[in-house]
Amino acid sequence: MKGRYTHMKITDARVVVTAPGRNFVTLIIETEDGMVGVGDATLNGRELSVASYLRDHVVPLLLGRDARRIEDTWNYLYKGAYWRRGAVAMTAIAAVDMALWDIKGKVAGLPVYELLGGASRDAVLVYGHASGHTLDDLDASVQMFLNKGYKAVRVQASVPGLEHTYGIGSPAVAAYEPANGSMPEDDVWDTALYLDFAPQLIEHVREQFGHGFHLLHDVHHRLTPNEAGRLGARLEPYRMWWMEDPTPAEDQSAFRLIRSQTTTPIAVGEVFNSIWDCQQLITERLIDYIRASVTHAGGITHLRRIFFLAELYGVRTGSHGATDLSPISLSAALHLDLTVANFGIQEYMPHLSPADEVFRTTYELRDGYLHPGHAPGLGVEFDEAAAEKYPYAPRYLPVNRLVDGTVHDW
Ligand code: KDG
Ligand code: MG
């Protein structure tokens, strides 16, 4: 069969690590006829491991391959490695996958969403991140999102008695970046303080702003199933869009216990990297939203499989979209979100300057909805010369400890 079909040979693949505002890893693939595709390979706090996986073990296998064979390349890299899954490998495969979809779109002269079946909706509902150290600060932040036309807002506020609370951004930029230290900083966590405060926080927001927008909250993996069930039950009157990551996500059967105690919708999956991580959660209908991302769950090709499985069981999508996923990842997510029947919502935090100097994007926000734009491919141009101005420096996420010093989930 060899030589029977025309090829589009991959002639170059290179990895760029750059830090315009924060660290990003980008894979660039070029073909013999000058097509260029880009993929996001950023794994927050472990960036160089993916860069090495790509440079040392994937790029040599890509050279000479047919750029058009996305599905085959995916399986070649996944099954061909023998070792399955894992955040590093799946992020590397995802970057290749995104770059190949980008190239396929450019060759066809079509935005990627057209290749995925075409738009199922006009634009993609997104949620913004409101936060504050005090409830007054939080109010100002929520108001800012509502003024901008957002239809869905995630709320986080500092837990009284704790020095640091997850998810609090600076008011000026409406974004936060928890990977700050050149070594991981220690945070202190107290579940009792949080469980007292979280219902007050949600009640406060509904009292101030009413029910005219979707309300979300991220628990960030810190509770036991029973604690999460209790919290979910207390939040029921406030009709949350979701309660995110109530317990450490790898324990799938734990969600049966949460489900048995509350009807508050549950979203999970930002740390997942394969369909196997969420198989039980989806097929047993233990969650309402699956939050896996294009970058960490094997690219468009694999995330689409997860979304299709979820569709069969009435689970909707709600992809992770924090700023540690690059604008290429957000764009790829938007193309997929636009097409799938079971789309729910997309997380959106605008990237901080100077990211826009390095990643030129075509997505547009209007009235709380994002659209990926109509450019062929993914619609993101990566400026390698600009990237050189922002060298990588190690940055780590914090580590959580209980008051007695025990390491807890962050
Ligand atoms: O790198 C970790 C972040 O992506 C994560 O903490 C963000 O939980 C998060 C969210 O919901 O955006
Ligand atoms: Mg989260």
Side-chain angles (χ1 to χ4, degrees), residues 236-261:
E236 280 167 22
Y238 313 113
R239 301 202 301 274
M240 308 285 296
W241 175 280
W242 76 36
M243 169 174 80
E244 177 181 334
D245 286 339
T247 56
E250 63 269 41
D251 182 0
Q252 297 187 42
S253 62
F255 286 77
R256 259 193 233 123
L257 192 54
I258 306 174
R259 260 302 198 232
S260 70
Q261 296 184 43

Short mmCIF file of all heavy atoms in Angstrom, two decimals, residues 236-261:
data_model
loop_
_atom_site.label_atom_id
_atom_site.label_comp_id
_atom_site.label_asym_id
_atom_site.label_seq_id
_atom_site.Cartn_x
_atom_site.Cartn_y
_atom_site.Cartn_z
N GLU A 236 -28.03 23.78 48.30
CA GLU A 236 -29.16 23.55 47.39
C GLU A 236 -30.09 24.75 47.22
O GLU A 236 -30.51 25.04 46.10
CB GLU A 236 -29.93 22.29 47.81
CG GLU A 236 -29.22 21.03 47.32
CD GLU A 236 -29.74 19.75 47.95
OE1 GLU A 236 -30.89 19.74 48.44
OE2 GLU A 236 -28.98 18.76 47.95
N PRO A 237 -30.43 25.50 48.29
CA PRO A 237 -31.36 26.63 48.08
C PRO A 237 -30.83 27.69 47.13
O PRO A 237 -31.60 28.46 46.57
CB PRO A 237 -31.50 27.22 49.49
CG PRO A 237 -31.02 26.18 50.44
CD PRO A 237 -30.07 25.31 49.68
N TYR A 238 -29.50 27.71 46.93
CA TYR A 238 -28.91 28.79 46.11
C TYR A 238 -28.77 28.40 44.65
O TYR A 238 -28.24 29.17 43.85
CB TYR A 238 -27.57 29.23 46.73
CG TYR A 238 -27.71 29.44 48.21
CD1 TYR A 238 -27.08 28.62 49.12
CD2 TYR A 238 -28.57 30.44 48.69
CE1 TYR A 238 -27.27 28.78 50.49
CE2 TYR A 238 -28.77 30.61 50.05
CZ TYR A 238 -28.13 29.78 50.94
OH TYR A 238 -28.34 29.93 52.28
N ARG A 239 -29.22 27.18 44.31
CA ARG A 239 -29.29 26.71 42.92
C ARG A 239 -27.99 27.02 42.16
O ARG A 239 -27.96 27.80 41.21
CB ARG A 239 -30.50 27.33 42.21
CG ARG A 239 -31.82 26.98 42.87
CD ARG A 239 -33.00 27.10 41.95
NE ARG A 239 -33.20 28.40 41.37
CZ ARG A 239 -33.89 29.41 41.96
NH1 ARG A 239 -34.42 29.23 43.16
NH2 ARG A 239 -34.05 30.55 41.31
N MET A 240 -26.93 26.37 42.59
CA MET A 240 -25.63 26.52 41.95
C MET A 240 -25.65 25.90 40.55
O MET A 240 -26.31 24.91 40.32
CB MET A 240 -24.54 25.78 42.75
CG MET A 240 -24.47 26.09 44.21
SD MET A 240 -23.73 27.67 44.51
CE MET A 240 -22.07 27.41 43.89
N TRP A 241 -24.86 26.50 39.64
CA TRP A 241 -24.63 25.81 38.36
C TRP A 241 -23.81 24.56 38.64
O TRP A 241 -24.09 23.50 38.12
CB TRP A 241 -23.90 26.74 37.40
CG TRP A 241 -23.50 26.12 36.09
CD1 TRP A 241 -22.42 25.32 35.87
CD2 TRP A 241 -24.17 26.24 34.82
NE1 TRP A 241 -22.37 24.95 34.54
CE2 TRP A 241 -23.42 25.50 33.88
CE3 TRP A 241 -25.32 26.93 34.40
CZ2 TRP A 241 -23.79 25.41 32.54
CZ3 TRP A 241 -25.67 26.84 33.05
CH2 TRP A 241 -24.92 26.08 32.14
N TRP A 242 -22.75 24.74 39.48
CA TRP A 242 -22.02 23.56 39.95
C TRP A 242 -21.20 23.85 41.20
O TRP A 242 -20.88 24.99 41.52
CB TRP A 242 -21.15 22.95 38.86
CG TRP A 242 -19.85 23.63 38.48
CD1 TRP A 242 -18.94 24.28 39.28
CD2 TRP A 242 -19.28 23.65 37.17
NE1 TRP A 242 -17.87 24.71 38.54
CE2 TRP A 242 -18.05 24.34 37.24
CE3 TRP A 242 -19.68 23.14 35.93
CZ2 TRP A 242 -17.23 24.54 36.13
CZ3 TRP A 242 -18.86 23.35 34.82
CH2 TRP A 242 -17.66 24.04 34.94
N MET A 243 -20.88 22.75 41.87
CA MET A 243 -19.90 22.72 42.95
C MET A 243 -18.74 21.91 42.35
O MET A 243 -18.91 20.76 41.98
CB MET A 243 -20.51 22.00 44.17
CG MET A 243 -19.56 21.65 45.27
SD MET A 243 -20.43 20.98 46.73
CE MET A 243 -20.72 19.27 46.27
N GLU A 244 -17.57 22.56 42.22
CA GLU A 244 -16.46 21.94 41.48
C GLU A 244 -15.49 21.19 42.39
O GLU A 244 -15.17 21.67 43.48
CB GLU A 244 -15.72 23.04 40.72
CG GLU A 244 -14.52 22.57 39.95
CD GLU A 244 -13.83 23.74 39.26
OE1 GLU A 244 -14.50 24.76 38.97
OE2 GLU A 244 -12.61 23.63 39.02
N ASP A 245 -15.02 20.06 41.92
CA ASP A 245 -13.95 19.30 42.58
C ASP A 245 -14.14 19.20 44.09
O ASP A 245 -13.25 19.59 44.87
CB ASP A 245 -12.59 19.93 42.28
CG ASP A 245 -12.13 19.65 40.85
OD1 ASP A 245 -12.63 18.68 40.25
OD2 ASP A 245 -11.27 20.39 40.35
N PRO A 246 -15.28 18.66 44.53
CA PRO A 246 -15.52 18.61 45.98
C PRO A 246 -14.50 17.73 46.71
O PRO A 246 -14.12 18.05 47.84
CB PRO A 246 -16.93 18.03 46.10
CG PRO A 246 -17.22 17.38 44.78
CD PRO A 246 -16.42 18.12 43.76
N THR A 247 -14.08 16.63 46.08
CA THR A 247 -13.12 15.71 46.73
C THR A 247 -12.00 15.41 45.74
O THR A 247 -12.14 15.70 44.55
CB THR A 247 -13.82 14.38 47.11
OG1 THR A 247 -14.40 13.83 45.92
CG2 THR A 247 -14.90 14.60 48.15
N PRO A 248 -10.89 14.83 46.20
CA PRO A 248 -9.82 14.47 45.26
C PRO A 248 -10.37 13.59 44.14
O PRO A 248 -11.02 12.57 44.39
CB PRO A 248 -8.82 13.72 46.14
CG PRO A 248 -9.04 14.29 47.52
CD PRO A 248 -10.53 14.52 47.59
N ALA A 249 -10.13 14.01 42.90
CA ALA A 249 -10.91 13.49 41.77
C ALA A 249 -10.58 12.06 41.38
O ALA A 249 -11.37 11.40 40.70
CB ALA A 249 -10.69 14.41 40.57
N GLU A 250 -9.42 11.56 41.79
CA GLU A 250 -9.05 10.22 41.31
C GLU A 250 -9.87 9.11 41.97
O GLU A 250 -9.92 7.99 41.47
CB GLU A 250 -7.55 9.97 41.48
CG GLU A 250 -7.01 9.98 42.90
CD GLU A 250 -6.53 11.38 43.33
OE1 GLU A 250 -7.21 12.38 42.99
OE2 GLU A 250 -5.49 11.46 44.03
N ASP A 251 -10.53 9.42 43.08
CA ASP A 251 -11.36 8.41 43.76
C ASP A 251 -12.78 8.51 43.21
O ASP A 251 -13.65 9.17 43.76
CB ASP A 251 -11.33 8.68 45.27
CG ASP A 251 -12.11 7.63 46.05
OD1 ASP A 251 -12.67 6.71 45.43
OD2 ASP A 251 -12.16 7.75 47.29
N GLN A 252 -13.02 7.78 42.11
CA GLN A 252 -14.29 7.95 41.40
C GLN A 252 -15.48 7.45 42.20
O GLN A 252 -16.54 8.06 42.18
CB GLN A 252 -14.23 7.25 40.03
CG GLN A 252 -13.18 7.86 39.10
CD GLN A 252 -13.22 7.29 37.70
OE1 GLN A 252 -14.29 7.09 37.11
NE2 GLN A 252 -12.05 7.01 37.14
N SER A 253 -15.32 6.36 42.92
CA SER A 253 -16.49 5.81 43.62
C SER A 253 -16.91 6.70 44.79
O SER A 253 -18.05 6.60 45.27
CB SER A 253 -16.23 4.38 44.08
OG SER A 253 -15.16 4.37 44.99
N ALA A 254 -16.02 7.60 45.25
CA ALA A 254 -16.37 8.52 46.33
C ALA A 254 -17.59 9.36 45.95
O ALA A 254 -18.36 9.79 46.81
CB ALA A 254 -15.20 9.43 46.65
N PHE A 255 -17.74 9.59 44.64
CA PHE A 255 -18.81 10.47 44.19
C PHE A 255 -20.20 9.86 44.38
O PHE A 255 -21.19 10.57 44.41
CB PHE A 255 -18.56 10.92 42.75
CG PHE A 255 -17.44 11.92 42.68
CD1 PHE A 255 -16.11 11.53 42.78
CD2 PHE A 255 -17.72 13.27 42.59
CE1 PHE A 255 -15.08 12.46 42.76
CE2 PHE A 255 -16.69 14.21 42.58
CZ PHE A 255 -15.37 13.80 42.67
N ARG A 256 -20.25 8.53 44.56
CA ARG A 256 -21.54 7.91 44.87
C ARG A 256 -22.07 8.42 46.19
O ARG A 256 -23.25 8.69 46.35
CB ARG A 256 -21.35 6.39 44.99
CG ARG A 256 -21.79 5.67 43.75
CD ARG A 256 -21.90 4.18 44.02
NE ARG A 256 -21.13 3.51 43.01
CZ ARG A 256 -20.13 2.67 43.25
NH1 ARG A 256 -19.78 2.37 44.47
NH2 ARG A 256 -19.50 2.13 42.25
N LEU A 257 -21.16 8.55 47.14
CA LEU A 257 -21.56 9.02 48.48
C LEU A 257 -22.02 10.48 48.42
O LEU A 257 -23.03 10.85 49.04
CB LEU A 257 -20.35 8.87 49.42
CG LEU A 257 -20.59 9.04 50.90
CD1 LEU A 257 -21.69 8.11 51.39
CD2 LEU A 257 -19.29 8.74 51.66
N ILE A 258 -21.30 11.30 47.64
CA ILE A 258 -21.70 12.72 47.52
C ILE A 258 -23.08 12.79 46.88
O ILE A 258 -23.98 13.48 47.36
CB ILE A 258 -20.68 13.51 46.68
CG1 ILE A 258 -19.28 13.35 47.23
CG2 ILE A 258 -21.08 14.99 46.62
CD1 ILE A 258 -18.19 14.00 46.37
N ARG A 259 -23.23 12.04 45.77
CA ARG A 259 -24.49 12.03 45.04
C ARG A 259 -25.68 11.61 45.91
O ARG A 259 -26.78 12.12 45.75
CB ARG A 259 -24.40 11.00 43.91
CG ARG A 259 -24.12 11.47 42.53
CD ARG A 259 -25.13 12.45 42.04
NE ARG A 259 -25.07 12.54 40.60
CZ ARG A 259 -24.95 13.66 39.95
NH1 ARG A 259 -24.89 14.81 40.60
NH2 ARG A 259 -24.95 13.67 38.64
N SER A 260 -25.41 10.67 46.83
CA SER A 260 -26.52 10.17 47.64
C SER A 260 -26.97 11.22 48.65
O SER A 260 -28.03 11.09 49.26
CB SER A 260 -26.08 8.89 48.38
OG SER A 260 -25.15 9.23 49.39
N GLN A 261 -26.16 12.29 48.83
CA GLN A 261 -26.51 13.28 49.86
C GLN A 261 -26.96 14.62 49.31
O GLN A 261 -27.46 15.46 50.05
CB GLN A 261 -25.29 13.53 50.76
CG GLN A 261 -24.88 12.31 51.55
CD GLN A 261 -23.73 12.64 52.50
OE1 GLN A 261 -23.74 13.67 53.13
NE2 GLN A 261 -22.77 11.76 52.57
#
